[in-house]
Amino acid sequence: MKKLFLMFMLLTPFTIADERAEIFISPSYGSYRGQKKNDINQEVKNVIGSGVKISFERRQPFVDDSGAGIGAGIVYNTLKVKGNGINSGSGNLVSVPLYITIGSGLDNGIYTKVSFGLSLSSGNVKWTDKNGGRGEIKAAPISGYGAISMGVQKNRFSTGISLATTPKLKRSYSSPTKNYGNKFSDGLISLEFGYAPKYE
C-alpha cells in the first residue's frame, strides 16, 4: 500500500504542469450482487462495502471548453460477505485504475467526463456457512475500467457524481454437496470532490 501512495506522490509534479490538473477524492458505499436471478448457488450479497478512491487527472483542451487527458488512482474498499447462514471474515480490495479521460468543462461551470482504461487489483475475503461449505472471493489481477462523471466546477474546486465500474471478482465455493465458481462485477455510484493545485 505504501508503494502505491509513493507512486502517486511522484506523479503529482506532472499533474501540476497541465491546463487542468486535479486531485479527486471519492468516498463510496455499495455492493456486488454476485448472484443471477434463479441462481441455485449460495446467495451472496454485499460483497463490497465502504471505501474511498483518490485519483489524479490532467486534461488539456482541444475544442472550445472540451479536453482529453490521462488519470490514475488508488481505490480501497472493505470486503464483507453476507447471506443466510454465512460467517464471513473481513477482507479488503485494493485497485489501481489507469485510464484515459475526455469531456467538457475545463473552466467554470458544469463538467462531464467519460473515462476508460484498465484496473490492476488485489484482495480477497473468505467465508464459511452452516452447510459445511467454504468460499473465497478474490479480485481478478487485471480488469477493464470505465466511469462517467458529471458535476460543477468553480475555480480550483469541483464536486460531482461518478458512476464507475468495479474490479471483476472471482468466486469459488466448495461443500460436501456443491462445488462451483463464477465471475462477476458491478458499478458503484459515488460523490467526487476535486481540487486543482494550479489554477489561472
Side-chain angles (χ1 to χ4, degrees):
M1 195 69 179
K2 291 181 179 180
K3 291 181 179 179
L4 294 177
F5 280 109
L6 178 60
M7 179 178 69
F8 290 109
M9 289 298 292
L10 293 175
L11 285 174
T12 303
F14 294 98
T15 65
I16 296 176
D18 288 88
E19 185 69 22
R20 181 72 189 184
E22 215 160 353
I23 301 169
F24 287 96
I25 298 178
S26 303
S28 64
Y29 180 82
S31 65
Y32 281 108
R33 290 296 174 184
Q35 179 188 11
K36 297 179 181 179
K37 186 177 180 181
N38 299 323
D39 187 354
I40 63 173
N41 296 326
Q42 174 68 50
E43 184 179 11
V44 174
K45 293 182 178 179
N46 298 334
V47 178
I48 190 168
S50 59
V52 64
K53 172 185 175 184
I54 302 174
S55 57
F56 302 89
E57 296 180 7
R58 54 176 182 166
R59 288 185 292 158
Q60 293 183 338
F62 59 84
V63 176
D64 296 330
D65 197 29
S66 299
I70 59 173
I74 298 174
V75 184
Y76 174 84
N77 285 96
T78 59
L79 286 176
K80 188 76 173 180
V81 177
K82 294 183 179 181
N84 296 328
I86 287 179
N87 180 23
S88 172
S90 60
N92 61 73
L93 171 64
V94 178
S95 60
V96 179
L98 307 170
Y99 54 90
I100 295 172
T101 181
I102 58 176
S104 61
L106 286 175
D107 208 343
N108 293 333
I110 296 174
Y111 71 85
T112 58
K113 295 184 298 179
V114 176
S115 306
F116 54 93
L118 295 174
S119 181
L120 311 177
S121 309
S122 65
N124 72 325
V125 62
K126 297 180 180 180
W127 80 92
T128 59
D129 64 25
K130 60 184 179 181
N131 299 315
R134 294 180 176 274
E136 180 182 16
I137 293 174
K138 61 181 180 179
I142 301 176
S143 56
Y145 175 82
I148 300 174
S149 303
M150 181 181 219
V152 178
Q153 182 177 290
K154 178 66 175 177
N155 299 334
R156 293 178 182 268
F157 300 94
S158 62
T159 182
I161 297 176
S162 175
L163 171 62
T165 59
T166 53
K168 183 170 289 185
L169 294 184
K170 298 179 180 180
R171 179 176 63 162
S172 60
Y173 175 83
S174 63
S175 75
T177 58
K178 289 182 181 179
N179 286 280
Y180 63 83
N182 66 352
K183 297 178 182 180
F184 55 95
S185 61
D186 210 335
L188 287 179
I189 297 177
S190 63
L191 296 174
E192 65 175 19
F193 304 95
Y195 174 75
K198 182 179 179 181
Y199 178 82
E200 296 180 359

